[in-house]
Amino acid sequence: MPSVTPDPSTSETSDALVLGRRIRERRMELGMTLDHLAKSVDRAPSQLSAIENGKREPHLPLLRAIAAALGASLDELLSDEAPSERAALEIAVERAQRGPVFQALGLQPIRVSKTASDEVLKAILGLHQEVERVHRERAATPEEARRANTELRAEMRALNNYYPDLERVARELLERVGYTDGPVSQRTVSGIAEQLGFSLHYVSGMPHSTRSVIDRRNGRIYLSSTLPSRDARAPILRALAGIVCGHEEPKSYGDFLRQRVESNYLAGAVLLPERSTLRTLQEAKAARDISMEDLRDAYAVSYEMAAHRFTNLATSHLDLEVHFTKVHESGTLIKAYENDGVRFPSDALGNLEGAMICRNWTARTIFAQPDRFNPWYQYTDMASGGTYWCTSRVEKAKEGLYSVSAGVRFEDVKWFRGRDTPHRTASQCPDDRCCRMASPELTEKWRDLAWPEAATPTSLLAALPTGAFPGVDNHEVFAFLEAHERAATNIP
Ligand SMILES: [Zn+2]
């Protein structure tokens, strides 16, 4: 999709268009030919024509000469008003044809001539404006993505984030390689890949924006040789998930999101196998000592995977309703799930991703804690009703720091380690006075003296990624596979 970034030359061009029209209009009023005007300012007629068509802007000395020849003042010629309604219409069509949206379509512009009726020009202008509006809207809100996301969240909530089919697939994969109990080793995961007919290849120079690439032709899975965690289990399983879940090329953004959710779920369900993990959690619950850290350590997975896996099993098997968030250090919500009634901020369409989380919530207060290595627990009194208890942890990623949090209602905290925390805050959000507005004293002091420049978040301007696998460059992926196949089969 072509970009609709405003072209810096547009405003200049439109001024030149108005100026040209004003010169032509004035010349016609005087019954003067183009040749005549050109001669009296000592220029070629083609040059004058370019000026009248707004294709060139005259320098001040020439403009003065033109004004004198036409018996007009500079101010009259430089007025930014079109000389007539018809001229305004012609200018608007010209401007639209010179704009980036029309240019990107690669169509031949029409010549705006005297013979074109007002109706024709108005219809053309209307179409231009509509095309521009649609482009703007699509670039600003990846509508389809938002809708698909909201639907998927509703489904997850209805299932208490527990997918029996995926649990069964995970169990079968593990059984086939002889797994019985406890944590799942790298060797077990390689065994699963082998069982499915794939060999693993760690290479440098993976195509951009890919986590892994599967070569189904040769039965190979490519993974980056510089995996940050040096733990390839989750990436391998996410890659294999597409095969075992029978994922086809996604037909819509909704398909793409669902496949992603399933891949992540399956990776979690294999690395924290249901029966074993449940036993760990039930023992912890009996001891009133449930801890995300313990789960993470017992299965050697990331905190995020442990906390997320906890949400899969909490309601369906432990009778606990929970919430989960992943929040960027800027305060932006990246991932969220709840069935315990906690009220996440959202936009008018019910979309949560990208919303700002209250500064007083655990997911944000943790960033201010000097000790990032100990678990952080906090009670939060919500304006919308109720008190929630959360545990949170900061993890580092390429894009910065993230907090991952899991929590429950006050009445369920009795099962968790960390319930004796002295930390307690109150959140009045979405009331602006809670944490969005500065204090009256600071506002008074700085209101007129602060001039921040906003760093434009890329997501704000980026249109919905296009292509079969959104955001992935097929050109690069195919070239990558071709090169590796050639290397493997010794084709020069
Ligand atoms: Zn707040």
Side-chain angles (χ1 to χ4, degrees), residues 446-455:
W446 287 107
R447 188 171 44 207
D448 301 323
L449 296 169
W451 195 262
E453 190 201 0

Side-chain angles (χ1 to χ4, degrees), residues 357-361 426-429 431 434-436:
I357 287 283
C358 177
R359 275 175 210 281
N360 298 321
W361 284 23
S427 165
Q428 267 80 48
C429 273
D431 187 333
C434 170
C435 61
R436 275 155 236 265

Side-chain angles (χ1 to χ4, degrees), residues 325-334 357-359 361-372 376 378 392-397 400-405:
T325 61
K326 182 176 182 183
V327 172
H328 185 247
E329 58 184 319
S330 63
T332 321
L333 192 57
I334 307 293
I357 287 283
C358 177
R359 275 175 210 281
W361 284 23
T362 317
R364 292 196 68 188
T365 54
I366 184 162
F367 287 110
Q369 304 315 312
D371 178 3
R372 294 266 168 86
W376 172 245
Q378 180 187 300
S392 195
R393 190 99 205 171
V394 170
E395 289 191 314
K396 200 173 179 170
L401 299 174
Y402 292 93
S403 71
V404 172
S405 316

Side-chain angles (χ1 to χ4, degrees), residues 290-293 303-304 306-308 310-312 314-315 318-326 335-344 361-363 376-380 382 387-393 403-419:
I290 298 176
S291 149
M292 300 305 124
E293 275 82 7
Y303 186 87
E304 182 179 349
H308 191 263
F310 171 69
T311 69
N312 298 152
T315 312
L318 301 169
D319 202 22
L320 291 169
E321 292 182 330
V322 295
H323 66 267
F324 169 94
T325 61
K326 182 176 182 183
K335 266 190 207 168
Y337 166 77
E338 63 79 25
N339 67 351
D340 63 357
V342 81
R343 204 80 70 75
F344 293 127
W361 284 23
T362 317
W376 172 245
Y377 310 110
Q378 180 187 300
Y379 289 95
T380 311
M382 303 291 183
T387 295
Y388 288 82
W389 172 94
C390 291
T391 177
S392 195
R393 190 99 205 171
S403 71
V404 172
S405 316
V408 291
R409 289 189 204 96
F410 182 79
E411 49 270 40
D412 287 325
V413 71
K414 54 179 178 280
W415 310 110
F416 289 82
R417 183 184 308 162
R419 61 183 172 275

Side-chain angles (χ1 to χ4, degrees), residues 194-373:
E194 226 168 274
Q195 272 277 319
L196 293 166
F198 287 92
S199 55
L200 304 172
H201 303 266
Y202 299 90
V203 299
S204 57
M206 287 290 291
H208 293 96
S209 60
T210 60
R211 304 200 283 197
S212 64
V213 177
I214 292 193
D215 170 355
R216 295 202 195 195
R217 178 195 293 277
N218 300 296
R220 298 168 140 235
I221 300 178
Y222 292 102
L223 296 142
S224 171
S225 58
T226 55
L227 283 169
S229 58
R230 296 185 193 189
D231 177 2
R233 293 173 305 158
I236 292 168
L237 290 167
R238 280 195 297 257
L240 289 172
I243 311 263
V244 295
C245 299
H247 289 165
E248 307 269 325
E249 193 174 283
K251 286 180 190 62
S252 64
Y253 204 75
D255 272 359
F256 170 73
L257 288 178
R258 170 175 302 279
Q259 292 182 1
R260 222 181 144 89
V261 164
E262 288 182 356
S263 300
N264 281 324
Y265 194 107
L266 191 71
V270 169
L271 293 181
L272 296 113
E274 185 173 18
R275 194 152 35 93
S276 174
T277 306
L278 207 47
R279 200 181 52 240
T280 309
L281 282 171
Q282 271 157 348
E283 281 167 14
K285 192 183 175 196
R288 302 192 166 216
D289 199 27
I290 298 176
S291 149
M292 300 305 124
E293 275 82 7
D294 282 4
L295 199 56
R296 174 197 64 187
D297 297 343
Y299 292 88
V301 293
S302 68
Y303 186 87
E304 182 179 349
M305 185 177 266
H308 191 263
R309 186 65 178 140
F310 171 69
T311 69
N312 298 152
L313 304 175
T315 312
S316 56
H317 294 76
L318 301 169
D319 202 22
L320 291 169
E321 292 182 330
V322 295
H323 66 267
F324 169 94
T325 61
K326 182 176 182 183
V327 172
H328 185 247
E329 58 184 319
S330 63
T332 321
L333 192 57
I334 307 293
K335 266 190 207 168
Y337 166 77
E338 63 79 25
N339 67 351
D340 63 357
V342 81
R343 204 80 70 75
F344 293 127
S346 77
D347 67 13
L349 296 170
N351 210 62
L352 311 181
E353 281 76 8
M356 287 297 266
I357 287 283
C358 177
R359 275 175 210 281
N360 298 321
W361 284 23
T362 317
R364 292 196 68 188
T365 54
I366 184 162
F367 287 110
Q369 304 315 312
D371 178 3
R372 294 266 168 86
F373 295 100

Side-chain angles (χ1 to χ4, degrees), residues 6-222:
D7 177 355
S9 68
T10 310
S11 62
E12 239 174 76
T13 316
S14 55
D15 287 346
L17 275 168
V18 176
L19 174 64
R21 279 321 139 119
R22 295 193 75 87
I23 292 172
R24 175 179 301 157
E25 209 83 357
R26 178 79 188 167
R27 174 172 66 73
M28 307 284 253
E29 269 170 35
L30 298 173
M32 193 188 283
T33 64
L34 190 69
D35 283 357
H36 184 171
L37 178 60
K39 211 168 193 179
S40 51
V41 296
D42 202 19
R43 290 291 143 93
S46 60
Q47 223 177 321
L48 256 289
S49 170
I51 289 169
E52 286 196 353
N53 287 323
K55 294 196 172 118
R56 194 180 302 169
E57 244 180 314
H59 293 301
L60 196 56
L62 177 55
L63 190 59
R64 280 218 183 86
I66 292 171
L70 296 172
S73 72
L74 268 186
D75 281 354
E76 266 174 79
L77 291 186
L78 284 172
S79 157
D80 54 13
E81 237 192 286
S84 65
E85 248 184 75
R86 166 75 191 194
L89 193 56
E90 291 179 8
I91 288 167
V93 174
E94 282 283 1
R95 194 177 295 170
Q97 294 195 141
R98 289 179 196 190
V101 171
F102 185 80
Q103 304 261 320
L105 293 174
L107 295 173
Q108 196 62 32
I110 60 154
R111 234 191 101 231
V112 183
S113 68
K114 287 270 163 261
T115 52
S117 71
D118 285 9
E119 283 73 17
V120 168
L121 291 185
K122 275 181 191 157
I124 289 172
L125 185 61
L127 285 172
H128 274 295
Q129 285 167 343
E130 185 56 20
V131 169
E132 262 171 34
R133 188 189 67 78
V134 169
H135 269 271
R136 250 197 326 272
E137 208 169 75
R138 267 207 216 145
T141 56
E143 187 95 22
E144 192 202 347
R146 284 161 176 267
R147 203 177 311 121
N149 207 12
T150 309
E151 280 170 14
L152 198 55
R153 192 196 321 285
E155 180 194 292
M156 286 161 79
R157 201 171 183 282
L159 291 171
N160 289 322
N161 209 19
Y162 178 74
Y163 287 73
D165 289 349
L166 292 169
E167 298 288 351
R168 184 180 44 76
V169 171
R171 196 167 53 240
E172 287 169 4
L173 286 175
L174 286 165
E175 277 168 6
R176 271 205 266 170
V177 293
Y179 163 88
T180 49
D181 203 8
V184 175
S185 67
Q186 165 79 39
R187 200 160 153 265
T188 300
V189 173
S190 310
I192 290 174
E194 226 168 274
Q195 272 277 319
L196 293 166
F198 287 92
S199 55
L200 304 172
H201 303 266
Y202 299 90
V203 299
S204 57
M206 287 290 291
H208 293 96
S209 60
T210 60
R211 304 200 283 197
S212 64
V213 177
I214 292 193
D215 170 355
R216 295 202 195 195
R217 178 195 293 277
N218 300 296
R220 298 168 140 235
I221 300 178
Y222 292 102

